[in-house]
Amino acid sequence: MLTYNELKEKPKEFLAATGLMVDEFELLLSVFRQKYANLFVPGMTRKGTPRQRREGGGVKEKLLTDEDKLLFILVYQKTFPLQTMHGLQFGLSQPQTNYWIHRLLPVLRESLVEMGVAPERDPQKVADSPLVNEAAPDLLIDGTERRRQRPKDANQQEDSYSGKMKTHTDKNILLVNSHSRKVVYLSPTEKGKKHDKKIADENAIAYPTGATLGKDTGFQGYEPNGVITFQPKKSQKVKS
């Protein structure tokens, strides 16, 4: 069973599981703890009604500490496992896992907004985003895919099938500031079949004038106005 106290002693595994260093986790935790306390007041039930019995009565929760709650939702966001598999890591059933995901996701989102590190979701506001202009506007664009359950409908199966990943996926486009390494824009979720460049074209991202944009072959021909684009080339392998 994953717990914060055990995982924090393994920095490499902690980073792989959460996407954060331990000190970054601690900074987020202080905001997360306050947001959680504001949303879920002690002495009230999960439905927001006054408790009929004292705190601690009934079934004992597995995610007792704020540290474990934050770890739970960060691992879910980072690895996006099936709920059954995610529950196994934290000693929870699938229904319990589903409950905690929906309970904690809003708290995580509000915490990231409070800290000013939530990625922009409106493509027309990217040029003025503090995350873009935190350092020089040297950006990287890429598509990210995550596996999803195979749809039952045949048409949805075709739309969700990613030829690149050879499975059914959901896809997003990300913009990252290459200096701060922060995600500055997150596109709406699309079906795995849709091409990266098409998603970028449809979203019509507004870039700062003179920004540089690194891209891979999935964005071949993507040339936003006023932006200097480049495509890193793979080094030639030395033939023996």
Side-chain angles (χ1 to χ4, degrees):
M1 177 175 168
L2 284 179
T3 65
Y4 171 74
N5 286 333
E6 292 184 2
L7 195 59
K8 71 177 182 179
E9 303 300 329
K10 304 173 183 178
K12 290 184 178 180
E13 289 83 352
F14 193 94
L15 177 61
T18 67
L20 298 177
M21 304 294 287
V22 175
D23 58 342
E24 295 173 328
F25 181 97
E26 293 287 351
L27 289 174
L28 176 57
L29 176 64
S30 62
V31 181
F32 179 88
R33 177 180 286 119
Q34 185 60 52
K35 291 293 181 182
Y36 188 87
N38 291 342
L39 287 174
F40 305 107
V41 181
M44 306 293 284
T45 67
R46 295 175 177 177
K47 295 182 179 180
T49 58
R51 297 184 65 90
Q52 298 299 313
R53 54 184 170 184
R54 65 178 177 81
E55 291 280 352
V59 178
K60 302 299 181 183
E61 292 184 350
K62 296 294 179 63
L63 304 178
L64 286 175
T65 66
D66 292 328
E67 288 84 350
D68 285 338
K69 290 180 177 68
L70 180 55
L71 177 66
F72 170 90
I73 199 61
L74 286 177
V75 172
Y76 178 76
Q77 287 290 87
K78 176 66 164 58
T79 62
F80 202 70
L82 293 176
Q83 292 184 6
T84 298
M85 297 304 298
H86 191 51
L88 288 174
Q89 298 180 88
F90 289 88
L92 299 170
S93 67
Q94 186 277 324
Q96 291 172 325
T97 301
N98 181 271
Y99 165 81
W100 279 110
I101 289 171
H102 287 85
R103 183 179 176 90
L104 297 176
L105 268 179
V107 184
L108 177 60
R109 292 194 190 103
E110 288 195 19
S111 300
L112 295 175
V113 170
E114 176 76 17
M115 297 177 70
V117 295
E120 183 59 64
R121 303 305 301 271
D122 184 344
Q124 295 303 306
K125 295 182 179 179
V126 170
D128 298 321
S129 169
L131 291 173
V132 170
N133 299 297
E134 181 178 350
D138 298 323
L139 308 172
L140 302 171
I141 189 170
D142 201 2
T144 178
E145 296 185 68
R146 58 189 181 278
R147 294 186 64 178
R148 54 158 296 169
Q149 289 185 330
R150 180 183 179 185
K152 295 181 179 180
D153 181 84
N155 292 329
Q156 292 184 7
Q157 287 180 23
E158 183 178 356
D159 290 340
S160 298
Y161 188 79
S162 169
K164 177 182 178 181
M165 302 298 290
K166 307 300 181 186
T167 188
H168 297 86
T169 66
D170 287 326
K171 176 182 290 187
N172 296 86
I173 295 297
L174 301 176
L175 269 180
V176 177
N177 186 307
S178 62
H179 297 286
S180 67
R181 297 186 178 183
K182 293 178 181 178
V183 177
V184 301
Y185 171 68
L186 174 64
S187 77
T189 300
E190 303 283 358
K191 302 297 185 183
K193 183 180 179 180
K194 184 173 285 191
H195 197 273
D196 291 351
K197 178 180 179 297
K198 185 174 183 180
I199 299 174
D201 286 337
E202 290 179 351
N203 282 276
I205 302 168
Y207 295 91
T209 301
T212 63
L213 182 66
K215 59 183 184 178
D216 62 14
T217 55
F219 295 87
Q220 193 77 39
Y222 180 61
E223 301 291 339
N225 292 331
V227 177
I228 303 170
T229 66
F230 64 94
Q231 183 175 317
K233 297 183 181 297
K234 293 182 179 180
S235 61
Q236 296 291 328
K237 293 183 178 180
V238 178
K239 295 183 179 180
S240 57

